[in-house]
Amino acid sequence: MNRDISALSDQYFDILVIGGGIFGAGVARDAALRGLRVGLIEKSDFASGTSSRSSKLIHGGFRYLQQRDFKLVFEACRERRILQRIAPHHVRPLPFLFPIYKGGSLSLAKLRLGMTLYDWLALYRNIAPHRTLSAKRALEKEPSLSRHGLRGAVMFYDCQEDDARFCVDHILHAAELGAVCLNYCALTGFVTREDRIVAARVRDEVGSCTSEVTARMFINAAGPWVDQVRALTPFDGDATRLSPTKGVHLVLPRLTQDHAIAFQARSDGRVLFVIPWGDYSLVGTTDTEFHGNPDRARAERADVEYLLAEVRTLFPDTPLSEAEVVTTFTGVRSLLASGVASPSARSREHRIVRQGRNLLSIVGGKYTTYRAIAQHTVDAAINILNVTAQPCRTAEVPLPNRRPAPTGEKISDSPAVCVGDIAHACEQEMAVTLSDVMRRRTQLALSRAGGPEIALQVARAMAPLLGWSPDEERAQFERYAEEWNQNLP
């Protein structure tokens, strides 16, 4: 599947989607399934923002029960069930243990009550109902947990996925259905007439050409950049704004045997996760105010120290120093501004905001509910366009399984990546840069195989496929190596 910038300017779209994260990908796939003419532009690579920097979970959000956000939990549990059905190769059950310790603000009885409500909001269609374990049984399940003050644990299930891969596969399916999807295609402005947008001005960051893309409706799905896109229009509109927060994860050597762990941080009572990821564990996430450019969000020393301190308390017999951190990754959550002081307490709900006659912006939202958010957005667009379209089909139509069979020389054992995977990414999945392959078409960058040695091999494999000169190959490697170093603690 090739990048064809001319395909954008050669068509008059029903909908042009701005943003190639999971919200934009979901909107493009939904609208294409309904028979609409769809274009999508993304200023960097697909899923390069928050949609590749999450906790890699499709979950009901039991944490939101503490905020009494029962509607969001119900919706997330429903969406989790739908995604298991349409994409079982992506969305896989993951067992969790939630240990409870003496002195914590959450008692075992209160957690049991919360998990009963969690099961009820899922209409008892969970992978399995929660179970209460004694301290002895919890330690049999995960012997490395701290024994000091352990009262017991609750075992429950949520789901795990590769967030970047999941997003990219939505883009590829939308393209198969007729949507024109372009990465490295930046929005630079709008052409407006009275109270409507008639075209988007875009710049191809690969070929350095500019063009205008015409459409009847424009959907702003830019996540943390949504307000920047809205500011490019002359229209007044809903005053809804973002209040972003930063989430940092650490990649550490594998800490558990079979389970993910949810636990209360001793320092501030927040719920944190330890999530199995192949031979590694993902530990996170922080939730702090963020006011900068989302492109430059990085883990600060305080973030790393906070997470390491909490995980050391949970696994006291496991040596965990800063040197054990394989890498870090950081995402910016596009949360609704709600006047709530605590970042962790801010709503994960979304709003669809209209400006002028034909710009809709998705403000807020969470990864797990992307499909429902896309459905609401496309419904709103069809209503404004006043066109006849097929009903939403994303809850029934399976997401194709695109993982190629392993072929060719193996580049890495953990994660398993072959030369054939690199070729497939470049030739069929619109990978343009070394970072695209290392970070979003494979899982290499979230492992020790993400370092310079493997990156150099991948760059050499990509060069003939993409026609890179020796200078370009070296530049690609150097840019990726700089990114890798920036994510080290």
Side-chain angles (χ1 to χ4, degrees), residues 355-420:
Q355 284 180 269
R357 295 187 63 180
N358 62 339
L359 174 65
L360 294 178
S361 296
I362 301 170
V363 185
K366 64 192 296 283
Y367 197 112
T368 296
T369 57
Y370 82 91
R371 192 209 63 84
I373 292 171
Q375 179 177 347
H376 299 158
T377 306
V378 178
D379 284 346
I382 288 171
N383 184 57
I384 294 168
L385 289 171
N386 194 24
V387 297
T388 301
Q390 299 175 34
C392 178
R393 299 167 58 210
T394 55
E396 292 82 33
V397 177
L399 184 68
N401 186 349
R402 303 182 176 281
R403 300 189 182 187
T407 57
E409 177 188 354
K410 185 174 283 190
I411 288 178
S412 166
D413 290 318
S414 178
V417 176
C418 299
V419 172

Side-chain angles (χ1 to χ4, degrees), residues 170-240:
H170 276 70
I171 293 284
L172 296 174
H173 192 210
E176 274 188 5
L177 295 165
V180 177
C181 302
L182 268 292
N183 53 357
Y184 296 98
C185 189
L187 175 74
T188 60
F190 291 111
V191 179
T192 61
R193 186 175 300 135
E194 296 180 347
D195 60 351
R196 67 183 299 112
I197 299 170
V198 296
R201 294 191 181 99
V202 302
R203 181 180 63 249
D204 179 13
E205 304 288 10
V206 177
S208 300
C209 63
T210 60
S211 59
E212 291 185 357
V213 185
T214 56
R216 301 177 65 194
M217 175 67 61
F218 297 80
I219 294 178
N220 173 10
W225 296 268
V226 69
D227 285 344
Q228 295 177 27
V229 172
R230 294 172 73 188
L232 293 174
T233 76
F235 308 135
D236 294 328
D238 190 301
T240 303

Side-chain angles (χ1 to χ4, degrees), residues 51-177:
S51 295
S52 60
R53 300 160 189 262
S54 75
S55 295
K56 324 297 184 191
L57 298 176
I58 297 294
H59 63 113
F62 67 88
R63 292 177 294 174
Y64 310 133
L65 292 176
Q66 291 179 305
Q67 302 162 24
R68 302 191 178 188
D69 200 341
F70 304 128
K71 178 183 175 183
L72 180 60
V73 175
F74 178 82
E75 181 182 49
C77 288
R78 181 198 67 207
E79 291 301 306
R80 180 186 61 191
R81 187 168 66 252
I82 290 171
L83 299 182
Q84 281 183 270
R85 185 172 66 244
I86 67 167
H89 54 292
H90 275 297
V91 182
R92 296 188 173 97
L94 179 66
F96 278 77
L97 284 180
F98 197 137
I100 294 297
Y101 289 90
K102 180 181 179 181
S105 60
L106 187 61
S107 68
L108 198 57
K110 187 175 180 180
L111 180 59
R112 282 201 305 262
L113 180 62
M115 286 300 174
T116 299
L117 180 57
Y118 196 48
D119 288 343
W120 181 77
L121 287 169
L123 303 179
Y124 292 96
R125 295 175 184 169
N126 287 356
I127 295 96
H130 78 276
R131 289 190 290 138
T132 304
L133 306 179
S134 66
K136 179 181 177 182
R137 185 70 178 127
L139 290 169
E140 289 173 356
K141 293 279 187 184
E142 289 295 341
S144 58
L145 286 172
S146 174
R147 300 166 182 268
H148 182 67
L150 180 63
R151 297 301 199 194
V154 169
M155 183 176 175
F156 66 99
Y157 282 84
D158 262 314
C159 290
Q160 184 174 40
E161 43 79 59
D162 179 340
D163 51 3
R165 183 74 256 175
F166 193 56
C167 178
V168 168
D169 279 1
H170 276 70
I171 293 284
L172 296 174
H173 192 210
E176 274 188 5
L177 295 165

